[in-house]
């Protein structure tokens, strides 16, 4: 989105007559040189006082000897660019109450003395910085709302923002603060389309049926047909029968909503079809916010690994294109996988599993204390001991002093390979002997780590950049049975995200279930800031 067309209100502000260049669009008559110096001193004082609460902003003005940024006659384009951006903030799903355009314009117009102009200048800077931070890296602090979100937001430095603003074309600079990846732009287009749909009446009556299948007829089939037409899955039709065309539309809808595509409108499909335009709008706005949390400012990494927890898939993305995808299992609802970013550094072939204490206490230690057999190795200071030779009656589950290790092998919980991006959450990607779980539609079964459906192919894909024979290298090591670390010559950014809405390259809008219930809390926070669908705002 660009702001090439200036809003009329902003032009009116810029067009106010000038009696002196320092007035910034306001009629001010300056006296002789001594009076001018005195005025400049008052303006500097106002700017210094008003900017002192924001360290980066204060530093910016201090480095400029407290010269104004917005209230000089040369700043017309800068003022208009800011006002244009603030007027368009709602298109980004931002909390527009934070940007009081009318108050800003009135402050400019009422600034009839140097001190007031200095205060107006800082007011504009503060509003710009608030908008810039919101549109660039999000207006929520997600970690304060959900404890499992550890995403470090790419907050821009105020001093750097202001410096780049005054050195750049203001329209272009402000327009490029928002994420520049195509996925964000596609979500914005969908948001605007949903608003238009809402004005036209939404998707129509909901489907009043528990399930529908090919061959069915009646009012519920008509409602299903009409809603799929409104959503763009079906061309205009008057049929009242669940025919082949309707079945094909249901399959497409199911694929876009993470539902097994069997062409039968069962309970999950009916519930998804009956979601309102407003519900979809909220999901899209939240999707845009999540894009902002990962905003790199247009600097897209050559390669990254993208783990969408709600989609149960892991993707390798090279130069913006998906080059590898595999199904995955994520943390159970009571052991949720966190959201964060890191860098993959190496893989371990034939890994051992050092059992986390929480899992050991829950699943293994009670059996060991009872004298049961175990395929786990019991370690004391890193050395394997025989548990039968230890008086276990001295210990409880909580006081058990030994570590547990599962050696490499076909029964190892990590399978035959794990992929490491060392982090404080002890989360990594790995193989699994429980491949049957990959056939489930909802795959929330792990203790937090990410299990892969095609771990060997994933390893080959990563190694192909550093060897001409990735399969041969991998399998030679695998066949030794020895635990071996293979470093990646180039570390790869890894993003564990929780995206329940996104738009594919072909324009397809996707939704996924809120499996961890995170959307409800984030959406509540968004609504509390006044971000609601325009036609439903009170």
């Amino acid at each position: 989105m660009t702001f090439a067309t200036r809003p009329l209100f902003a032009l009116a502000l810029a067009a106010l007559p000038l009696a002196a260049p320092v007035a910034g669009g306001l009629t001010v008559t300056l006296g002789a040189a001594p009076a001018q110096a005195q005025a400049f001193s008052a303006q500097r004082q106002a700017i210094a006082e008003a900017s002192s609460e924001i360290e980066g902003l204060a530093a910016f003005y201090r480095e400029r000897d407290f010269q104004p940024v917005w209230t000089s006659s040369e700043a017309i384009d800068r003022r208009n660019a800011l006002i244009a951006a603030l007027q368009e903030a709602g298109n980004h799903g931002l909390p527009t109450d934070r940007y009081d355009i009318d108050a800003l314009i009135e402050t400019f117009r009422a600034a009839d003395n140097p001190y007031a102009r200095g205060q107006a200048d800082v007011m504009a800077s503060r509003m710009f910085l608030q908008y810039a931070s919101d549109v660039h890296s999000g207006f929520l602090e997600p970690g304060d709302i959900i404890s499992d979100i550890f995403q470090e937001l790419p907050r821009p430095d105020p001093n750097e923002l202001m410096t780049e603003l005054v050195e750049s074309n203001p329209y272009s600079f402000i327009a490029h603060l928002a994420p520049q990846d195509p996925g964000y732009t596609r979500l914005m287009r969908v948001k605007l389309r949903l608003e238009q749909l809402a004005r036209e009446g939404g998707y129509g009556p909901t489907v009043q049926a528990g399930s529908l299948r090919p061959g069915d007829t009646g009012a519920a089939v008509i409602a299903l047909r009409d809603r799929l037409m409104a959503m763009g899955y079906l061309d205009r039709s008057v049929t009242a029968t669940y025919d082949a065309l309707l079945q094909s539309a249901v399959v497409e809808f199911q694929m876009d909503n993470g539902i097994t595509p069997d062409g039968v409108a069962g309970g999950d499909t009916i519930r998804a079809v009956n979601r309102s335009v407003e519900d979809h709008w909220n999901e899209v706005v939240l999707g845009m916010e999540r894009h902002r949390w990962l905003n790199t400012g247009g600097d897209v990494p050559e390669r990254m690994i993208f783990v969408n927890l709600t989609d149960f898939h892991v993707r390798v993305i090279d130069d913006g294109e998906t080059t590898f995808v595999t199904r995955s299992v994520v943390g159970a609802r009571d052991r949720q996988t966190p959201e964060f970013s890191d860098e993959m550094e190496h893989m371990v072939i034939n890994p051992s599993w050092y059992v986390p204490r929480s899992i050991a206490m829950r699943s293994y230690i009670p059996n060991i204390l009872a004298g049961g057999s175990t395929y786990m190795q019991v370690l004391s200071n890193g050395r394997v001991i025989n548990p039968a030779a230890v008086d276990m009656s001295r210990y409880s589950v909580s006081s058990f002093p030994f570590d547990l290790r599962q050696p490499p092998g076909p029964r190892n919980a990590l399978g035959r390979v794990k992929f490491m991006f060392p982090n404080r959450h002890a989360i990594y990607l790995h193989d699994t002997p429980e491949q049957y779980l990959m056939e489930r539609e909802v795959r929330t079964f792990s203790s937090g780590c990410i299990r892969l459906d095609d771990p060997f192919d994933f390893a080959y894909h990563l190694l192909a950049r550093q060897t001409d024979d990735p399969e041969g290298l991998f399998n030679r090591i695998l066949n030794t049975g020895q635990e071996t670390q293979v470093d990646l010559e180039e570390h790869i950014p890894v993003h564990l995200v929780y995206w329940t809405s996104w738009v594919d390259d072909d324009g397809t809008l996707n939704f996924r279930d809120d499996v961890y219930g995170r959307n409800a809390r984030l959406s509540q926070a968004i609504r509390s800031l006044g971000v609601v669908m325009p036609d439903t705002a009170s």
Side-chain angles (χ1 to χ4, degrees), residues 360-381:
M361 292 174 66
R362 182 173 63 248
S363 303
Y364 300 106
I365 294 176
N367 184 58
I368 295 174
L369 293 178
S373 61
T374 178
Y375 56 89
M376 293 288 176
Q377 293 178 335
V378 179
L379 306 180
S380 177
N381 296 321

Side-chain angles (χ1 to χ4, degrees), residues 18 33 75 98 231 301 351 392 403 438 467 523 529:
L18 289 174
R98 289 185 175 184
M231 294 178 191
M392 292 295 176
D403 297 319
M438 297 296 172
T467 177
S523 294
L529 293 171

Side-chain angles (χ1 to χ4, degrees), residues 186 300-307 311 313-326 458 461 465 499 502-505:
R186 291 193 290 262
V300 179
E302 182 181 354
R303 163 169 281 192
M304 68 178 177
I305 296 168
F306 198 81
V307 183
D311 186 37
H313 280 81
V314 173
R315 293 172 173 81
V316 179
I317 300 176
D318 292 309
D319 298 316
E321 299 292 332
T322 299
T323 58
F324 180 87
V325 60
T326 183
F458 184 67
H461 192 75
R465 289 205 168 187
W499 286 11
W502 71 93
V503 182
D504 287 335
D505 294 344

Side-chain angles (χ1 to χ4, degrees), residues 333 377 404 435 477:
R333 287 176 173 85
Q377 293 178 335
L404 299 182
Q435 286 291 320
I477 298 173

Side-chain angles (χ1 to χ4, degrees), residues 219-234:
V221 172
I222 293 173
L224 175 64
R225 176 203 69 194
D226 290 348
R227 291 184 74 83
L228 290 176
M229 285 169 50
M231 294 178 191
Y233 287 97
L234 195 63

Side-chain angles (χ1 to χ4, degrees), residues 291-309:
H291 269 266
R292 291 188 282 261
W293 299 346
L294 297 177
N295 189 4
T296 60
D299 184 18
V300 179
E302 182 181 354
R303 163 169 281 192
M304 68 178 177
I305 296 168
F306 198 81
V307 183
N308 189 359
L309 304 179

Side-chain angles (χ1 to χ4, degrees), residues 78-109:
R78 199 173 297 143
R79 283 197 303 273
N80 288 343
L82 173 60
I83 292 172
L86 298 181
Q87 289 176 328
E88 298 290 333
N91 289 342
H92 291 274
L94 298 178
T96 55
D97 289 348
R98 289 185 175 184
Y99 329 116
D100 193 336
I101 303 173
D102 291 342
L104 178 61
I105 293 176
E106 181 57 33
T107 299
F108 276 134
R109 285 178 166 166

Side-chain angles (χ1 to χ4, degrees), residues 415-452:
R416 306 301 296 273
V417 60
K418 66 178 180 179
F419 304 88
M420 305 301 293
F421 40 105
N423 56 81
R424 63 190 175 101
H425 315 291
I427 299 295
Y428 45 88
L429 278 57
H430 65 88
D431 183 16
T432 175
E434 298 177 315
Q435 286 291 320
Y436 68 92
L437 293 176
M438 297 296 172
E439 302 304 318
R440 305 286 183 87
E441 184 175 289
V442 177
R443 297 188 287 275
T444 50
F445 301 108
S446 83
S447 293
C449 287
I450 313 297
R451 305 176 189 175
L452 302 180

